[in-house]
């Protein structure tokens, strides 16, 4: 039986939560492998709405949730999220949630530095979530991170905090921001340790066992390919690799375990934060998409920028992300629009390109080349089969498949879990 990896194919917020939830109900284990509590997955189950940031979505379905080493974990945020979800009636215990003992921690210094740097950037700010994601990944690569396992060794924590603060306090002072006391940080970490350590273990070992038992594993990506630190619209990206290949390294399993790769894309396009967005709409249609699609960030509440579907961008995400099937969400938001545009390439200083170039200036100057396609008048909301879709909506989906060079294997027509059209089961071999 194949495993499945889900990643975003645009700039995040593609509606992964619903698709992950639906697939999680059929998986045995759900694994997060990158990102942190910058992610926001909204799951609507019956009359309950769960907003998850760090917890693997499968927990809502009573499945074992694993947080891999590729994730950066804010222990305070994790415990707060566990408490919040427990208050909604779900059981989250060290039996249902395991976290990698070699995952790096996000500490208050990281969020402070994230915000201080954003403030210093002014007009050129990235628009981060301000949660310390970038600085925590920097510390991991710089080999000065404090990891989950360090919570069990007070003496290790002590000297590692010295090294960490030498770096961060220098930077914070330079930026005119308050610095941190080692004694306070150490006391806080030691107080958190007994609440975090019961969840910690070598995740790679559990995954090796799960494979041995032929368990179905779902790897749950956060953010999206165009926010990937290598392949996205750098520097307006997050600080982790969001492509499917990261599922292996970020969980501690071989690349052959990644299984089928499903990319999620909205039937239009949105982005939060700064950075290039060639098909962005600054007019009434953009506003309409935002209102109909309830386009506000789950984590920050910021309004999302909206635009037409950019097939050139998604094609690029399909290629670099390893996407084998596309789940198209929020088709119903386009209902009733007389004409729809699809971005098929770019014009940059008079030269046409089929892909978004790597350079920051070239990306900012990229003007979309559009193809126009007739809209549909009847509703697609809640459709559960192709037969229920207007002919023009089917044409739109087929054209997207051609342009992005990837089949649409799943179509979501409302936030409700069952309002889904499945063309191909990703778990099937
Ligand atoms: P960071 O991940 O907080 O460093 O933010 C870097 C960029 O990624 C910003 O543009 C954020 O808005 C964006 N970002 C981070 N997480 C998400 C997400 O879950 N959905 C959409 N955008 C995100």
């Amino acid at each position: 039986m194949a495993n499945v990896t889900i990643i975003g194919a645009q700039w995040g917020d593609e509606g992964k939560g619903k698709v992950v939830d639906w697939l999680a109900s059929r998986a045995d284990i759900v694994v997060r492998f990158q990102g942190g509590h910058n992610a926001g997955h909204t799951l609507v189950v019956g009359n309950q709405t769960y907003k998850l940031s760090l917890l693997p979505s499968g927990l809502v379905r009573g499945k074992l949730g694993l947080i891999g080493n590729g994730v950066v974990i804010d222990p305070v945020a994790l415990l707060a999220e566990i408490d919040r979800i427990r208050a909604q009636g779900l059981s989250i215990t060290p039996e249902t949630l395991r976290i990698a003992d070699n995952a790096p921690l996000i500490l208050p210094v990281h969020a402070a530095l994230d915000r201080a740097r954003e403030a210093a950037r002014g007009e050129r700010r990235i628009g981060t979530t301000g949660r310390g994601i970038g600085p925590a990944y920097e510390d991991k690569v710089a080999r000065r991170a404090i990891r989950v396992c360090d919570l069990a060794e007070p003496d290790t924590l002590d000297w590692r905090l010295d090294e960490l603060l030498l770096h961060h306090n220098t930077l914070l002072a330079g930026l005119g921001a308050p610095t941190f006391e080692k004694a306070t940080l150490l006391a806080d970490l030691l107080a958190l340790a007994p609440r975090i350590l019961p969840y910690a273990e070598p995740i790679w070992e559990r995954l090796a066992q799960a494979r041995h038992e032929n368990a179905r594993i779902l790897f749950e990506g956060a953010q999206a390919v165009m926010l990937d630190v290598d392949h996205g619209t750098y520097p307006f990206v997050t600080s982790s690799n969001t492509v499917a290949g990261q599922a292996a390294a970020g969980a501690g399993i071989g690349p052959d375990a990644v299984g089928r790769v499903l990319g999620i894309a909205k039937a239009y396009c949105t982005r939060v934060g700064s950075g290039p967005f060639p098909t962005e709409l600054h007019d009434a249609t953009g506003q309409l998409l935002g209102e109909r699609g309830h386009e506000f960030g789950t984590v920050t509440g910021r309004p999302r920028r909206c635009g037409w579907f950019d097939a050139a961008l998604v094609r690029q995400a399909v290629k670099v992300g390893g996407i084998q099937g596309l789940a198209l969400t929020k088709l119903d938001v386009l209902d009733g629009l007389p004409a729809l545009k699809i971005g098929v390439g770019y014009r940059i200083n008079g030269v046409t390109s089929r892909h978004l170039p790597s350079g920051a200036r070239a990306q900012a100057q990229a003007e979309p080349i559009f193809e126009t396609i007739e809209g549909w008048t009847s509703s697609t909301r809640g459709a559960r089969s192709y037969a229920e879709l207007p002919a023009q909506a089917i044409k739109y989906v087929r054209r997207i498949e051609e342009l992005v060079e990837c089949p649409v294997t799943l179509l979501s027509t409302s936030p409700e879990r069952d309002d889904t059209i499945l063309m191909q089961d990703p778990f099937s071999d």
Side-chain angles (χ1 to χ4, degrees):
M1 190 56 69
N3 295 328
V4 176
T5 297
I6 293 189
I7 59 172
Q10 292 159 323
W11 280 292
D13 310 311
E14 295 93 351
K16 282 193 283 298
K18 171 182 157 172
V19 181
V20 170
D21 172 50
W22 179 77
L23 288 169
S25 64
R26 309 177 52 231
D28 300 305
I29 301 179
V30 181
V31 191
R32 277 282 308 268
F33 57 88
Q34 48 73 226
H37 66 311
N38 49 349
H41 290 173
T42 305
L43 308 179
V44 183
V45 182
N47 54 7
Q48 282 273 21
T49 300
Y50 300 98
K51 289 190 184 292
L52 303 180
S53 274
L54 198 49
L55 293 174
S57 301
L59 286 170
V60 171
R61 297 279 161 204
K63 301 300 166 79
L64 178 65
L66 305 182
I67 298 181
N69 56 279
V71 175
V72 280
I73 301 176
D74 181 327
V76 177
L78 176 65
L79 293 171
E81 190 172 327
I82 291 176
D83 287 346
R84 187 166 49 77
I85 299 300
R86 273 191 189 143
Q88 288 189 270
L90 285 183
S91 160
I92 298 172
T93 67
E95 276 69 54
T96 58
L97 172 69
R98 310 299 297 159
I99 65 179
D101 60 0
N102 54 346
L105 295 180
I106 301 183
L107 305 180
V109 280
H110 295 125
L113 185 61
D114 193 356
R115 293 190 195 127
R117 278 201 308 224
E118 280 285 270
R121 282 185 187 117
E123 285 285 286
R124 290 200 184 275
R125 69 184 171 278
I126 291 164
T128 72
T129 58
R131 303 208 156 180
I133 306 294
Y137 275 116
E138 289 163 32
D139 277 3
K140 166 177 161 165
V141 178
R143 295 164 289 190
R144 61 172 170 260
I146 290 180
R147 309 199 297 176
V148 171
C149 51
D150 298 331
L151 293 174
E153 298 181 1
D155 50 329
T156 305
L157 274 183
D158 193 282
W159 68 264
R160 297 198 61 76
L161 275 174
D162 281 332
E163 191 178 336
L164 191 109
L165 286 180
L166 175 69
H167 178 83
H168 285 279
N169 278 343
T170 312
L171 278 175
L172 286 167
L175 288 162
T179 56
F180 284 77
E181 291 288 336
K182 179 175 120 179
T184 317
L185 280 179
L186 183 60
D188 289 349
L189 286 174
L190 290 174
L192 287 166
R195 295 187 64 198
I196 295 290
L197 287 172
Y199 296 97
E201 70 175 20
I203 288 296
W204 64 267
E205 205 159 27
R206 186 173 287 264
L207 284 172
Q209 183 62 26
R211 279 197 95 185
H212 181 68
E213 291 165 2
N214 260 331
R216 281 183 179 191
I217 307 170
L218 177 66
F219 295 94
E220 176 185 5
Q223 291 86 44
V225 175
M226 285 301 144
L227 288 172
D228 183 284
V229 68
D230 288 296
H231 301 289
T233 45
Y234 192 92
F236 301 99
V237 293
T238 192
S239 296
S240 61
N241 283 113
T242 57
V243 291
Q246 173 62 18
I253 201 162
D256 58 324
V258 165
R260 288 198 66 79
V261 181
L262 189 66
I264 319 283
K266 266 179 206 166
Y268 49 101
C269 194
T270 65
R271 165 162 216 175
V272 280
S274 329
F277 182 172
T279 61
E280 184 171 10
L281 285 162
H282 298 281
D283 59 6
T285 308
Q287 212 174 330
L288 184 89
L289 295 178
E291 282 162 16
R292 278 206 195 158
H294 307 290
E295 299 296 354
F296 296 93
T298 316
V299 171
T300 57
R302 292 179 288 181
R304 297 177 184 141
R305 300 154 65 192
C306 298
W308 295 118
F309 187 87
D310 188 340
L313 190 93
V314 173
R315 179 178 163 276
Q316 201 163 327
V318 163
K319 305 295 177 197
V320 301
I323 295 169
Q324 296 163 316
L326 208 62
L328 207 59
T329 63
K330 294 190 150 184
L331 186 67
D332 57 300
V333 172
L334 301 177
D335 289 352
L337 289 175
L340 306 170
K341 290 187 180 179
I342 302 178
V344 295
Y346 310 99
R347 194 166 289 109
I348 303 148
N349 281 330
V351 179
T352 58
S353 170
R354 222 183 144 195
H355 64 269
L356 202 54
S358 302
R361 181 162 36 79
Q363 285 186 355
Q365 289 173 343
E367 285 171 34
I369 300 169
F370 282 122
E371 187 177 290
T372 304
I373 178 164
E374 196 187 317
W376 51 90
T377 45
S378 49
S379 169
T380 63
R381 196 170 171 88
R384 294 185 184 184
S385 73
Y386 253 68
E388 291 174 51
L389 290 181
Q392 266 314 120
I394 297 175
K395 253 193 188 167
Y396 182 70
V397 174
R398 294 285 178 238
R399 186 63 186 134
I400 283 177
E401 283 182 318
E402 271 170 24
L403 288 167
V404 305
E405 298 172 12
C406 180
V408 171
T409 52
L410 194 150
L411 223 118
S412 163
T413 54
S414 97
E416 289 300 322
R417 198 173 153 222
D418 296 328
D419 293 342
T420 300
I421 304 173
L422 180 69
M423 271 71 85
Q424 195 190 328
D425 183 348
F427 273 118
S428 67
D429 284 316

